[in-house]
């Protein structure tokens, strides 16, 4: 099975296709590489593609600590070196979008571009900080498992079968690991990190109501491209892959 042996842990990944630029798919909170299956299959026809399980998720090792966004970014940088991934387009969903930003800031020579699929807060507002603090307390409490299932139900798809699959996927990660990630989100300075990202970037939001942050992010990075999918929720890469894939293809064609 394909594992990358990093300094302190093993990271599971799947790789296919050939052709430049390579696409590196980074899943969100409590998700694994399967959250990008439509993109993995589509882009492998013309590009090299790699999808990973972050530490603590899927088939990767689950150490007791190291669940901050800089830790995840460091894992990805080590993975790229170990596997031989050069100048990838880093495609991150939700938490994975935040990790992609940190990777672009911390390792500026590594990515060729960033694609942020409905990322978590990059330029956090006070209500975002309060939201994650409260969620961490709920997850750590006696009703943590019930709270997580209710929380991820709100992230689910309009298709009932797909929504159940997402809920089961996200509920499979050990709760202490899931809680550790949420506890450290507010430690991340996404605004400064995004300001250090010099490569082209595409933000794809799942709804117009979630897009006001695009105006704030464009003040930080004026060349940011922005798009909105139609008829889908937070997991739009699974619900409307034809839209997401076309947006990524257009971005690559005009930006690289």
């Amino acid at each position: 099975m394909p594992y990358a042996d990093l300094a302190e842990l093993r990271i599971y990944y799947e790789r296919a296709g050939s052709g430049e630029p390579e696409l590196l798919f980074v899943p969100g909170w409590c998700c694994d590489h399967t959250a990008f299956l439509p993109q993995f299959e589509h882009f492998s026809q013309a590009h090299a593609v790699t999808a990973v399980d972050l530490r603590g998720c899927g088939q990767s090792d689950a150490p007791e600590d190291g669940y901050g966004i800089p830790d995840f970014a460091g894992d990805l940088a080590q993975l790229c070196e170990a596997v031989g991934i050069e100048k990838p387009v880093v495609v991150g969903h939700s938490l994975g979008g935040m990790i992609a930003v940190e990777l672009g800031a911390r390792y500026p020579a590594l990515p060729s571009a960033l694609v942020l699929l409905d990322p978590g807060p990059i330029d956090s507002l006070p209500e975002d900080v309060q939201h994650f603090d409260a969620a961490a307390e709920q997850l750590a409490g006696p009703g943590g498992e019930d709270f997580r299932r209710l929380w991820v139900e709100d992230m689910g798809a309009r298709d009932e079968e797909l929504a159940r699959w997402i809920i089961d996927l996200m509920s499979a990660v050990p709760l202490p690991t899931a809680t550790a990630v949420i506890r450290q989100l507010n430690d991340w300075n996404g605004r400064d990190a995004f300001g250090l990202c010099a490569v082209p970037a595409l933000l794809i939001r799942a709804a117009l109501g979630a897009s006001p942050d695009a105006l704030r992010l464009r003040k930080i990075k004026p060349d940011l491209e922005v798009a909105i999918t139609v008829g889908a929720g937070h997991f739009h890469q699974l619900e409307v892959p034809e839209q997401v894939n076309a947006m990524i293809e257009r971005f690559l064609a005009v930006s690289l």
Side-chain angles (χ1 to χ4, degrees):
M1 299 181 73
Y3 285 92
D5 291 311
L6 308 187
E8 300 177 352
L9 76 163
R10 295 196 310 164
I11 292 291
Y12 179 84
Y13 68 95
E14 293 193 358
R15 201 174 189 201
S18 62
E20 297 179 351
E22 180 156 355
L23 279 71
L24 174 63
F25 296 108
V26 186
W29 180 66
C30 290
C31 292
D32 63 19
H33 68 281
T34 59
F36 281 107
L37 184 57
Q39 288 69 45
F40 190 87
E41 293 179 342
H42 175 79
F43 285 99
S44 65
Q45 298 175 38
H47 299 266
V49 294
T50 300
V52 303
D53 291 352
L54 298 173
R55 65 165 65 200
C57 293
Q59 299 176 65
S60 289
D61 288 349
E64 293 185 0
D65 53 16
Y67 292 101
I69 288 176
D71 299 308
F72 290 122
D75 290 345
L76 291 179
Q78 291 184 62
L79 172 81
C80 288
E81 182 176 1
V83 177
I85 301 173
E86 298 181 355
K87 305 298 290 185
V89 175
V90 184
V91 184
H93 172 245
S94 195
L95 170 70
M98 303 161 83
I99 296 168
V101 168
E102 180 69 13
L103 187 72
R106 190 174 290 263
Y107 306 94
L110 199 161
S112 63
L114 307 177
V115 177
L116 315 176
L117 301 178
D118 220 33
I122 295 172
D123 182 19
S124 294
L125 298 174
E127 51 263 39
D128 298 319
V129 174
Q130 294 172 5
H131 172 72
F132 287 126
D133 280 343
E137 292 305 313
Q138 291 272 18
L139 288 166
E145 286 288 5
D146 291 337
F147 172 78
R148 173 165 61 173
R149 288 195 73 88
L150 288 172
W151 195 13
V152 300
E153 282 179 7
D154 290 336
M155 305 179 193
R158 298 185 183 187
D159 178 82
E160 291 185 4
E161 183 177 353
L162 178 57
R164 286 193 299 270
W165 180 85
I166 291 170
I167 293 168
D168 290 342
L169 173 69
M170 298 183 71
S171 298
V173 173
L175 191 61
T177 299
T179 305
V181 176
I182 299 299
R183 281 199 181 281
Q184 297 185 61
L185 288 183
N186 287 333
D187 295 336
W188 183 57
N189 186 339
R191 180 182 179 87
D192 285 355
F194 196 51
L196 293 173
C197 292
V199 297
L202 168 65
L203 170 68
I204 305 180
R205 282 295 183 198
L208 183 61
S211 61
D213 70 324
L215 298 177
R216 303 200 315 274
L217 293 177
R218 268 193 164 169
K219 290 181 179 179
I220 303 170
K221 185 173 175 55
D223 64 344
L224 175 67
E225 298 282 357
V226 180
I228 301 173
T229 51
V230 176
H234 183 53
F235 281 81
H236 50 180
Q237 79 274 18
L238 295 175
E239 288 190 85
V240 289
E242 69 285 352
Q243 293 183 41
V244 171
N245 294 349
M247 291 174 179
I248 295 175
E249 286 181 332
R250 178 60 180 167
F251 170 67
L252 298 182
V254 301
S255 299
L256 297 183

